[in-house]
Amino acid sequence: MKKVWVSLTYLVFLILLIIPIIKIFTGAWAEGWDGFIEALSRPQALHALMMTGIIVVVVTALNTIFGVMLALYLVRANWIGGKLKQLLNSLVDLPYAVSPVIGGLMIVLILGPSTAIGALFEDIGFKIVYALPGMILATLFVTFPLMVREVMPVLQEIGAQQEEAASTLGAYSWYTFWHVTWPSIRWGVIYGVVLTVARSLGEFGAVLVVSGNIMNKTQTATTLVYQDVENFNVLAANSVALVLAAFSVGLLLLMEWAKKRKEVH
Amino acid sequence: MHIEVRGLNKTFGDFHAVRDVSFDIAKGHLIGLLGPSGGGKTSILRMLAGLESPTSGDIIFHGKRVNDLPPQERGIGFVFQNYALFKHMTVYDNVAFGLKVKKTPKDQIRERVMSLVELTGLKGFEHRYPHQLSGGQRQRVAFARALAPEPQLLLLDEPFAAIDAKIRGELRTWLKELIERVGITSIFVTHDQDEAIEVADEIMIINKGQLEQKGSPWDIYKSPQTQFVASFIGESTMVEQVERLRGFEEAANWPGTQALIRPEYIEIGKRSEFRIPSATVQGKVKHLHFRGSEWMVEVEVGDIKLITYRSLEKDVLQPGEDVHVLIHRAYLFNDNDTWIMENKLKEDPMPIHI
Amino acid sequence: MNNLFRNRWWSFGFRTTIMLYFILLIVLPIIGIYGQSFRSGWGPFWESVSDPLAWKAVLLTLKLAIIATIINIFLGTMIGWSLIRYRFPGRRLLNSLVDLPFALPTAVGGLMILLLLGPNSLVGSLAQGLGFDIVFHEPAIVVAMVFVTFPFVIRAVQPLLEELDKSEEEAAYTLGASKTRAFFQVIFPTMLPGISSGAMLAFSRALAEFGAVVLVAGNIPGKTLIASVYIFGEIESDNPQGAAAVSVMLLTLSFVILWAVNLVQSRRLGK
C-alpha cells in the first residue's frame, strides 16, 4: 500500500508543480541567455518590477505595523467588549472570502474618478484609482489578514502573565512590548512578513482592476505577465514569470526556516 | 506597608466574584488567603496589585487610596502561580528586569541581583534560562525577581501549587523564613489549609467572594465563626441530629441545629480506658484504615457515623467490635448562629483537675 | 517614551488610528459594494443578475469549483496521509513544496498550467490526439482551480493526523479490526473535520480565483467565462452596476462558506 500512495503522491507533485516550474525555466531560456535578458531589460519590464517592489515594501511595512497592533488589541485589550471583539475578529477574515477582482472593484467603486471622494482627491491632484495609491490600497486589503492571523495565536499561547509580571515590576506598555512581548512573537511576525511579501508580490486580480494596467505607469510584474501572454509573447512572459517564481521559491525556503524557528520559540 | 481594604466588590458580567470584602493588614505581617478554588481569592490579590480594577470599594496603602494607580506605581511585587518568568531571559536578566526599568546604575543592579541570587540559593544559575531550571528553582527566581525592586508589599498567587509535593514542605519553610528576614508585608493565596496554617501569621478565609473569618491559624481552628470555616479547616463529620448523642441532649432546644464533630474531639476505646464512662455512648467499629502513623476508625453510634483516629500504641480494634465513644465537643450551627457545645456529662459530677 | 503611553490622549489616539485603519480598509469597501449594487433598488440588481451571461458565469463557476474541490479532497487526503504516515526519500522536500501554490503569484501559476497543458506540450498534444481539448476549455479551468487550492486540504488534514494517538489505531487492531476497517472507523473520522474545513476553504478560494483562470480559460462568454472574469469584463466595459451585482452574489456565497468553516472549527474546539 505504502508504495502505491507514495508513487501517486510523487506523480501529483510532478505533474502539478515540478514539470510546470521546469517548463517556465526552459521557456524563459528558449532563446538562450540573450532572449531572457532582452525580455527583462525591456523598459516596461523594468518599470513593472519596480512598481511591484514599491508595492511590496509599502504594503508589508504598513500591514506589519497595523497587523501586529490589531492582533495585540484583539487578544489583550479589555477596552473592547467581548461581543464586539468576536465581531471584529471574524471581520479580519473577510478579505479571504473576497475574490481579488471584487476587492479591486470595491476600491474603484468608492474611490474611482466618478465618485465623490475620488473626484475630491482628483481635484487636489491626487489620483488614487489607476495610480499607485489605489494599487497599494488594493494590496493592503488583500494581504490584511495574514499578519493578524499569524500573530494572534502566538499571543494567545504565551498568555498575558509575562506582560502582567512586567507591569508589576514597573514597566510600561512600550518597554513591556519591546522587552517581553516582542521576543516571544518575533518569529510569528517574521513568518507573517514572509507571507505578506509573497502575497503582495503575487497579487494580480485586485491590482489589475485598480491599476488599469497602463504600460510604464501602473503595470506590475504580474499584470505584465498577463499582458505578455495575451500578446502571445510567451518568451517574455516566461522570463518575468521566472523572476517572480524565483522570488517565490526563495520566500518558500524562508517560510520553512521561519516556521521551524517559530516552533522552537 | 499598612493595607486597608473597604467594601471591595468585583463582578465579571453576571458573576459576583468578590462581595463586600473589608480588612486591615498590619505592616510586616504574612497573610494567607485561604479558600476553595474559584472563591475570589485571586481576584482580591489581582485587585491589590492593580492588575484588575475593583467594581466598587477602596484599596488604601499607607493611608493613600491607590485604586487609580496602575500596577507600575503601586510598589508591589507579584509572584504568579506559574511564575510567568520571562522565558527568553536568563535568571540574571529576569531578576534585573525591575531594576533596569527604573534605570538603576549598572553596578548597583549587579550588586542587588547577586545578593538576591545568593539569598535565594541560586548562585551559579545566573546564566541559565527558565526552561533549564526545576520547578523549585523557578519559584525562587520568581521570588527574587519580585523582591528586586524592593517592593513594600509582596503578593503571591498559589506560590507552591506547581511544585512537587515532596519539596513543597521544604520551600514553605524557606519562604516563611525569608519573608521574616526581609520583613516585608506579604499576602499569599492558597487552597491548601496545611500550607496556610503552616506559613501564615494570619489567615483570611474566603468563600464565594466573601471574607468568612480573619484570624491566627489557631484562633480559626479553635473557634470557627461560620459553618463554612468549621468544615473547611481541619477534618470533621457532619451530624444531623446531634441531640441523640449522649451529652448533647440540650441541642434539642434549638430545632434545625446541626453539628460538626472533628475526629480529634472523639475518643474511642474499651470501657476501662475512660475516666467517666457515664459520658460515653455505645458504638460499633465499622471499618479500620491504616494511615501510616495511626488508625482511622469509622465508628457507628446508632445510625450516626463518626470518624476518629486512634494511636498505634493502643490495642488494635477489630471491625464489628463494640466500643465506648466519648465526644468531647461539637460545633453547633443553625441558620442564624454558630457556637461550641462541650459534652455536658464529661466534667460533672466531680471535676478533677490535673 | 513611557510618558507617551501613560498619557490618556495618546493611547486613545493610538487605538482610534488602528481601529479606523481596520474599519476603513476592510469594512467600508464591503459596505460600499453592497450599497452600489442595490443603489437603484432591486430592479437594476435583478436585471444585472438575470442577464443570461451573468448567471451562466456564476453557475459555471459553482460547477467547476465543486469539481475542483472534490478532486482536492481526494488528492489532499492522499498526500496529507502519505506525507505524515510514510518515510520516504524526498518527503521533506515535497512537504515544503505543498505551499508553493500559495507562494507563487497566481498569474505565474496560470502561465505554468498554460505551458503544461498547451497544444505544444506533451499532455496537450496527447489529449488532442484523443480528440480532447483542454486549454481554453473547462478542464483547464478545473486544473487551475485545483492548482491554486492544492495546499488547503493537505494543511488542514496534517495536524489532525499528527495528533492522532497511535494507540487508538493499535487498540482497533487488538480488537480484531482489519487495516481497512481501522482506517474507516478510527482514522478517517479523525481526519474528517480537517477534510471538511479544508475543502470549504478550497471551495471558497476556487470560487474567487481569477489570476490563474483568466490565462487558461479562453473566456468565451457562456462557455468558459467564470464569474470573476465576468466581473472583470464588466468593469473593463465600464458597467460597475453589473459587476457589483454579480460580485454581491459571489461574496454572499463566500461569506456563508467562511461562516460555516468558523462554525465547524468552533464546534471542534468546543468538544
Side-chain angles (χ1 to χ4, degrees):
Chain A
M1 252 350 225
K2 173 182 165 180
K3 272 191 184 143
V4 177
W5 295 129
V6 171
S7 352
L8 274 175
T9 301
Y10 258 109
L11 193 69
V12 173
F13 274 97
L14 209 63
I15 294 178
L16 209 56
L17 297 172
I18 298 168
I19 293 181
I21 282 271
I22 295 171
K23 281 262 187 178
I24 286 202
F25 202 73
T26 54
W29 294 77
E31 287 176 22
W33 177 252
D34 292 341
F36 176 67
I37 290 295
E38 202 177 311
L40 275 187
S41 56
R42 292 175 298 164
Q44 66 263 40
L46 290 175
H47 187 267
L49 285 170
M50 189 189 75
M51 288 298 276
T52 299
I54 295 172
I55 292 176
V56 165
V57 170
V58 175
V59 165
T60 308
L62 282 177
N63 266 350
T64 301
I65 295 167
F66 284 100
V68 170
M69 292 304 298
L70 188 71
L72 268 172
Y73 284 162
L74 286 181
V75 176
R76 297 272 193 268
N78 42 22
W79 48 270
I80 313 175
K83 282 266 156 62
L84 182 64
K85 210 184 263 187
Q86 256 175 12
L87 177 74
L88 290 176
N89 193 14
S90 50
L91 286 180
V92 170
D93 283 330
L94 279 183
Y96 281 153
V98 175
S99 169
V101 181
I102 301 178
L105 173 64
M106 290 173 180
I107 287 164
V108 174
L109 285 180
I110 293 180
L111 300 171
S114 55
T115 65
I117 312 173
L120 196 78
F121 276 110
E122 204 123 315
D123 280 346
I124 58 169
F126 189 70
K127 252 182 110 175
I128 297 179
V129 171
Y130 308 126
L132 188 62
M135 295 156 74
I136 289 174
L137 270 181
T139 316
L140 281 175
F141 175 83
V142 172
T143 57
F144 184 74
L146 296 168
M147 180 60 74
V148 184
R149 283 289 172 252
E150 270 314 308
V151 176
M152 276 183 67
V154 185
L155 280 173
Q156 260 150 3
E157 204 193 293
I158 59 173
Q161 284 218 323
Q162 289 188 50
E163 287 153 33
E164 287 179 350
S167 74
T168 63
L169 292 168
Y172 288 93
S173 340
W174 193 247
Y175 193 93
T176 305
F177 178 78
W178 285 113
H179 289 86
V180 177
T181 316
W182 174 250
S184 307
I185 62 170
R186 194 170 39 192
W187 292 102
V189 173
I190 290 175
Y191 191 63
V193 165
V194 176
L195 287 177
T196 310
V197 168
R199 193 79 168 81
S200 45
L201 185 76
E203 187 40 45
F204 172 60
V207 168
L208 182 63
V209 171
V210 171
S211 70
N213 205 11
I214 309 159
M215 195 187 285
N216 281 333
K217 270 202 163 149
T218 61
Q219 197 164 46
T220 66
T222 49
T223 57
L224 176 65
V225 170
Y226 169 68
Q227 201 193 353
D228 282 340
V229 174
E230 296 284 280
N231 295 341
F232 300 105
N233 191 354
V234 179
L235 175 74
N238 276 327
S239 304
V240 180
L242 182 63
V243 173
L244 286 173
F247 264 109
S248 303
V249 171
L251 287 171
L252 199 66
L253 293 176
L254 258 176
M255 260 191 245
E256 284 294 306
W257 174 73
K259 218 191 296 183
K260 243 176 251 144
R261 293 300 305 251
K262 199 174 73 178
E263 275 154 20
V264 172
H265 282 264
Chain B
M1 146 155 87
H2 178 263
I3 292 146
E4 201 181 331
V5 169
R6 289 287 158 259
L8 197 64
N9 274 289
K10 178 73 185 173
T11 52
F12 297 101
D14 297 334
F15 180 61
H16 209 148
V18 176
R19 288 169 199 268
D20 227 8
V21 168
S22 303
F23 57 83
D24 274 83
I25 294 171
K27 189 173 173 351
H29 268 216
L30 174 53
I31 307 291
L33 281 183
L34 175 65
S37 305
K41 305 170 308 247
T42 299
S43 297
I44 294 175
L45 204 69
R46 288 174 64 87
M47 284 191 276
L48 287 174
L51 293 170
E52 213 84 68
S53 46
T55 310
S56 69
D58 295 320
I59 297 170
I60 295 150
F61 288 179
H62 264 325
K64 189 177 153 233
R65 188 172 179 272
V66 295
N67 283 40
D68 301 323
L69 280 186
Q72 288 89 343
E73 288 162 29
R74 291 199 184 186
I76 47 133
F78 201 107
V79 177
F80 288 81
Q81 181 167 0
N82 42 20
Y83 319 133
L85 295 179
F86 305 129
K87 54 184 179 169
H88 57 276
M89 292 184 200
T90 59
V91 169
Y92 184 93
D93 288 329
N94 262 287
V95 178
F97 187 90
L99 300 168
K100 280 186 191 159
V101 171
K102 284 189 181 166
K103 305 212 160 59
T104 315
K106 266 220 160 86
D107 47 329
Q108 276 178 43
I109 294 183
R110 181 153 194 90
E111 203 178 304
R112 175 95 180 124
V113 173
M114 290 321 284
S115 78
L116 276 167
V117 160
E118 203 148 326
L119 186 72
T120 49
L122 287 164
K123 204 158 189 220
F125 292 93
E126 304 96 272
H127 299 296
R128 296 231 186 155
Y129 284 90
H131 66 92
Q132 297 167 316
L133 300 174
S134 72
Q137 287 167 335
R138 276 180 222 178
Q139 214 253 359
R140 286 159 193 251
V141 177
F143 191 72
R145 183 178 71 176
L147 282 182
E150 300 185 42
Q152 306 244 24
L153 169 66
L154 186 65
L155 302 167
L156 307 104
D157 187 6
E158 298 270 6
F160 308 104
I163 291 182
D164 262 9
K166 268 195 174 168
I167 56 166
R168 209 181 289 167
E170 195 185 308
L171 261 176
R172 273 183 207 156
T173 349
W174 173 81
L175 186 70
K176 188 175 168 70
E177 278 172 13
L178 198 62
I179 287 177
E180 269 164 19
R181 190 149 22 129
V182 180
I184 179 177
T185 315
S186 310
I187 303 175
F188 71 99
V189 156
T190 180
H191 63 268
D192 179 344
Q193 51 160 315
D194 293 344
E195 197 168 292
I197 288 168
E198 199 176 313
V199 179
D201 297 330
E202 242 184 327
I203 294 178
M204 290 201 273
I205 307 234
I206 310 284
N207 181 40
K208 293 187 181 146
Q210 278 167 318
L211 176 60
E212 299 262 345
Q213 191 172 354
K214 176 170 178 280
S216 73
W218 173 239
D219 275 343
I220 284 178
Y221 179 81
K222 198 174 57 184
S223 47
Q225 277 157 16
T226 65
Q227 179 208 341
F228 175 79
V229 175
S231 61
F232 190 73
I233 293 285
E235 283 177 88
S236 52
T237 323
M238 188 76 152
V239 180
E240 300 270 341
Q241 288 165 305
V242 68
E243 63 272 15
R244 284 169 38 192
L245 291 172
R246 183 174 294 182
F248 297 91
E249 291 84 355
E250 236 178 69
N253 300 341
W254 296 278
T257 295
Q258 294 181 311
L260 273 176
I261 303 177
R262 294 202 193 284
E264 55 268 40
Y265 296 163
I266 302 172
E267 259 182 87
I268 53 170
K270 311 247 159 54
R271 193 187 154 85
S272 57
E273 291 177 31
F274 293 99
R275 226 176 50 233
I276 314 167
S278 61
T280 64
V281 279
Q282 287 286 332
K284 188 176 252 182
V285 175
K286 196 95 173 50
H287 288 292
L288 283 162
H289 307 274
F290 182 56
R291 277 294 157 87
S293 53
E294 57 200 345
W295 291 102
M296 187 182 105
V297 187
E298 279 178 49
V299 61
E300 254 182 350
V301 178
D303 54 359
I304 298 171
K305 202 185 271 172
L306 296 169
I307 285 172
T308 184
Y309 292 98
R310 188 173 161 88
S311 162
L312 298 178
E313 296 299 315
K314 298 192 177 165
D315 293 341
V316 177
L317 299 172
Q318 297 298 327
E321 207 175 321
D322 286 321
V323 285
H324 286 260
V325 179
L326 172 62
I327 299 158
H328 290 277
R329 66 187 70 83
Y331 295 118
L332 299 192
F333 57 89
N334 53 31
D335 292 341
N336 339 312
D337 215 358
T338 317
W339 70 100
I340 295 172
M341 183 181 267
E342 296 283 334
N343 189 329
K344 289 283 177 296
L345 304 171
K346 199 178 76 177
E347 305 296 334
D348 294 339
M350 292 182 293
I352 307 165
H353 293 285
I354 308 166
Chain C
M1 222 46 189
N2 281 347
N3 286 320
L4 182 76
F5 281 82
R6 273 153 80 176
N7 189 309
R8 243 162 224 266
W9 289 106
W10 267 103
S11 89
F12 179 75
F14 209 68
R15 290 167 184 180
T16 317
T17 314
I18 304 279
M19 286 300 150
L20 218 59
Y21 178 82
F22 179 42
I23 304 291
L24 286 182
L25 187 67
I26 307 299
V27 183
L28 193 70
I30 292 184
I31 296 172
I33 205 159
Y34 276 83
Q36 167 75 23
S37 62
F38 292 109
R39 194 163 59 182
S40 347
W42 272 95
F45 173 76
W46 196 243
E47 211 171 283
S48 310
V49 172
S50 58
D51 177 350
L53 288 184
W55 60 258
K56 267 189 184 158
V58 173
L59 279 186
L60 180 73
T61 314
L62 267 177
K63 180 180 99 181
L64 298 181
I66 289 172
I67 297 174
T69 307
I70 292 171
I71 293 176
N72 256 335
I73 288 175
F74 283 106
L75 289 184
T77 312
M78 177 187 90
I79 291 169
W81 170 265
S82 304
L83 289 178
I84 292 289
R85 279 310 176 95
Y86 302 133
R87 296 285 171 271
F88 55 90
R91 186 184 70 95
R92 282 188 37 154
L93 177 73
L94 293 192
N95 198 15
S96 353
L97 271 182
V98 170
D99 287 325
L100 192 64
F102 280 165
L104 221 49
T106 51
V108 175
L111 181 62
M112 279 165 65
I113 290 157
L114 197 63
L115 294 173
L116 177 74
L117 305 175
N120 305 324
S121 71
L122 187 70
V123 185
S125 50
L126 203 73
Q128 214 150 35
L130 293 168
F132 272 119
D133 287 309
I134 299 183
V135 160
F136 309 131
H137 288 79
E138 290 181 4
I141 303 175
V142 173
V143 173
M145 286 176 169
V146 169
F147 177 84
V148 293
T149 59
F150 182 66
F152 282 110
V153 177
I154 302 177
R155 288 299 183 231
V157 164
Q158 277 180 332
L160 295 178
L161 274 177
E162 249 166 16
E163 264 171 45
L164 176 69
D165 198 352
K166 187 101 185 148
S167 56
E168 244 178 86
E169 197 184 334
E170 285 167 350
Y173 294 144
T174 61
L175 294 167
S178 67
K179 277 211 155 178
T180 336
R181 202 188 166 90
F183 179 82
F184 280 106
Q185 300 210 323
V186 178
I187 300 168
F188 190 69
T190 321
M191 293 161 77
L192 201 58
I195 295 175
S196 61
S197 71
M200 279 191 270
L201 286 173
F203 180 63
S204 98
R205 178 74 200 270
L207 279 184
E209 186 46 37
F210 173 71
V213 174
V214 74
L215 283 173
V216 298
N219 311 322
I220 306 152
K223 277 188 147 170
T224 61
L225 185 70
I226 63 157
S228 58
V229 183
Y230 176 85
I231 295 168
F232 177 60
E234 293 297 290
I235 301 168
E236 294 286 275
S237 49
D238 210 18
N239 178 13
Q241 163 71 36
V246 176
S247 299
V248 162
M249 278 167 59
L250 212 58
L251 270 181
T252 311
L253 205 61
S254 301
F255 289 157
V256 170
I257 293 164
L258 200 69
W259 174 75
V261 173
N262 275 337
L263 204 72
V264 168
Q265 271 167 355
S266 61
R267 269 246 302 275
R268 219 175 77 211
L269 291 176
K271 240 198 278 184

